[in-house]
């Protein structure tokens, strides 16, 4: 499991969640985050970046909706079909 570190000072006018979403998405697209790699928990990510868990939840939710990441629960459901 990789501990991802992002510099929120560089986010410009983006909200915290938009910036986190963009950083993770860019890391996925560039291959820095490999397919199937476990992301840090919401709490870990929030603590590491001194942001709220809600901010991380929002970023992860956007990545899930767009198909960049998935949850264990989603995998379990997929295996039931």
């Amino acid at each position: 499991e990789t501990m991802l570190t992002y510099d929120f000072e560089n986010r410009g006018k983006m909200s915290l969640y938009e910036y986190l979403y963009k950083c993770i998405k860019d890391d996925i697209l560039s291959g820095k985050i490999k397919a199937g790699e476990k992301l840090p928990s919401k709490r870990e990510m929030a603590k590491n970046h001194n942001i709220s868990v809600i901010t991380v939840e929002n970023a992860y939710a956007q990545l899930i909706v767009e198909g960049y990441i998935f949850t264990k629960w989603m995998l379990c459901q997929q295996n039931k079909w």
Side-chain angles (χ1 to χ4, degrees), residues 15-66:
S15 70
L16 291 170
Y17 108 83
E18 282 175 313
Y19 183 74
L20 181 59
Y21 154 80
K22 181 189 176 309
C23 289
I24 296 172
K25 179 179 155 186
D26 289 349
D27 280 353
I28 290 169
L29 294 174
S30 73
K32 184 177 175 186
I33 299 173
K34 309 280 184 269
E37 188 173 339
K38 189 176 187 295
L39 292 176
S41 72
K42 294 169 195 164
R43 282 198 178 101
E44 263 184 292
M45 182 71 90
K47 187 178 176 197
N48 190 44
H49 290 94
N50 202 24
I51 56 178
S52 76
V53 174
I54 300 288
T55 297
V56 180
E57 272 177 12
N58 289 338
Y60 281 12
Q62 188 65 37
L63 290 160
I64 289 168
V65 166
E66 294 183 15

